[in-house]
Amino acid sequence: MRNVLAVVCASLWTTGVLCAQTPSLLPRPLRFTAEEGGGAFVRERGEPIVFSADSLLPEAEALRNVLGEDHPVKKGTSGRIRLLIDKELPFSKSPEAYRIEVTTGGLTIKAPTRHGLYNATRTVYQLTADSDDLPLCTIEDAPAFAWRGYMVDVGRNYQSMEMLKAQIDVMADLKLNVFHFHLTENVAWRLAIKKYPQLTEQKNMTRDQGLFYSEREIRELMAYCEARHILFLPEIDMPGHSEAFKRAMGFDMQSEEGLRTVLEILREVIDTYDFKYFHIGADEVRIVNKAFVPTVTDYLESRGVTVLGWQPGGNYGPSVWRQLWSEGGKKSDSLHSVRLDSRNLYINHMDPLETVPLIYNAKILDVDKGSDLDRGAILCLWNDRRLRRGEDNLTHNAVYPAMMAFAERTWKGEGKIGRYAGIDARPDALEAFREFEDRMFDVRDAFFSELPFPYVRQADIRWSVFGPYPNGGDVSKAFDIEKASASDLLKMKPDTTLIGGTVIYRHFWSPTIKGHFVDVAPNSTFYALRTIESEEERDAYFWISFYHYSTSHHTPTADDGTWNFTRGEAWVNGTLLSPPHWLHSGQPGNLEVPLEDENYNIRRPYRVHLRKGTNTILVKSPIRSFSGPAWYIPMKWMFTFVEAPDGYLY
């Protein structure tokens, strides 16, 4: 990271307008104050980390992992590096709150709980990015929302233990605290059940056959989460998404025999793991056995378990926590129940460059901060489409950029009412987003540089947009702007200015998620113009696209000779760019056929020749109808044109 500490007043953190020399911390702390004149705490080799109670040994060891193995840990209250329990931090009642004070005399960390102390060690970790010495500062910090979760669906596409742990590590460093593990699906049941081993037999799975999680592995994941103060939240989907159960058992979940079997499975699971929270799914299914969900809920609650379910979903009582997954899951439907937000927080539906702004803009549960009922949110990864390997989850979807934006939003709170899939071009909002992007890349470069990261800075990409021009349903119709010279293009007054490497004119979830235009009509064409300055003549590599395939939709592949079914086009310095040759051109949509090169982030970037000096980019985006290539796939009116990061030259 490039930053050096400077004096910062707490109000700057609140407004989002930061001095250029503040440290890159993510999520951003509630309050940060640097020592006037700068300076650092210089640690001595062999200096002990002192903790005030036996129970704090794990947090002392977590701090030693940050500061270095040459710092022994010992119980006590005096020393230059101290971890202390303080039940009465004056600025917050959150159990996750903490206070860090770095002076020339030492480092003192206080928190009301072990969890708060652990959070502080993650902040100290980020403070060490530039130097082993800690900058002189005071940090007072606490989250806006109590639950800040991340969900992976391993029912459809199995993920290895190593891969899961790597994601949990990043969660911990970003102070996310709930790991939601979706274990069962129509495709496969992946949780070992001793009484019914047929559930995980290879013949009863339609993908990743024979891959599941043993009791030893579940216990290992639970312990891994617990050591990082992350709640392990398992989900067995019932009574829907249960075709794998039906194949294995020979009867439906909602039958009398099915309900008895589910209760036996739950008894074994709770006896084995002693879960305190359990997710039953219960969505996207016609419930014909009205006793099913209440019976399951009553049993789990009788065992001291808090039950969660998706909303819209089952016929719940008020004690069941509701995880909102669509705008149909309205808060008004659960006025007296605990709520978690996952509305439009599905990474799999997002263009990678849309991911960060959309999540960054969100207002969790439509409130600025949490409460007893407005508990928080869970970011979800649903890759419905078959993958060739589990690791493709992280390249086909912008998982780690999404995590960073989500960590920022759920820790800080606030956000904007109304879901906007773009970058706010108003000066103050744009500067705040630019500052967030800078922190995100600083943290990525310092700590996560080896992770898949399909994202580039967008705050300084500015497009002059012309239109909409009525095309009468003819998406090939050309307008005079296509014939203009570069000098004439640059003299034209745009109809609007938009920001970003991906520009979404109209979202496929419109009006729930807003693109740049709300009232735009079909049978229209937009043109977008920008310039790129190059210090030399060179070949550059770009992400170019006119549509992004959700990894949960069975969208057909474009025909050869086209960029996609909207017939978008792009010119560089007046030269029309030829579309790629698609590996599976014209292929009908099929969830069982993995995506290969349909999305820009999973294909080799497009080579573009840039001349020395000013280069003009003109992008044409026509549309005929807002209905997509199939009834279940609405159209996303958009384009992407941005220089790709170096790591994507494969």
Side-chain angles (χ1 to χ4, degrees), residues 38-55:
F41 165 50
V42 180
R43 293 175 281 123
E44 297 177 1
R45 186 177 180 83
E47 194 163 19
I49 297 170
V50 176
F51 55 97
S52 59
D54 291 339
S55 61

Side-chain angles (χ1 to χ4, degrees), residues 502-554:
T502 283
V503 169
I504 298 175
Y505 295 121
R506 187 182 186 275
H507 204 278
F508 56 44
W509 300 138
S510 181
T512 300
I513 298 182
K514 297 177 178 62
H516 294 291
F517 299 102
V518 177
D519 298 323
V520 69
N523 298 320
S524 300
T525 299
F526 279 108
Y527 291 87
L529 173 72
R530 67 175 288 222
T531 60
I532 295 177
E533 298 296 325
S534 181
E535 295 180 356
E536 60 184 0
E537 184 174 356
R538 63 187 176 98
D539 283 342
Y541 292 84
F542 283 80
W543 282 340
I544 304 174
S545 177
F546 293 86
Y547 186 83
H548 192 81
Y549 291 71
S550 163
T551 57
S552 291
H553 286 164
H554 30 107

Side-chain angles (χ1 to χ4, degrees), residues 14 77 137-138 151 161 210 295 314 345 407 409 444 490 528 559 582 615 629:
T14 304
T77 56
C137 62
T138 300
M151 188 219 80
M161 291 286 286
T295 301
L345 291 173
R409 181 52 60 216
R444 191 283 305 265
L490 297 178
D559 293 332
W582 307 107
N615 297 264

Side-chain angles (χ1 to χ4, degrees), residues 75-90:
K75 185 179 176 183
T77 56
S78 62
R80 295 213 309 162
I81 306 174
R82 300 184 301 158
L83 285 83
L84 307 172
I85 290 291
D86 184 344
K87 300 284 189 182
E88 301 296 332
L89 292 181

Side-chain angles (χ1 to χ4, degrees), residues 55 120 162 181 207 231 347 368 398 438 443 512 536 557 562 586:
S55 61
E162 180 182 17
F181 202 32
R207 292 184 201 163
L231 173 69
I347 307 170
D368 284 336
D438 286 346
V443 171
T512 300
E536 60 184 0
T557 306
T562 69

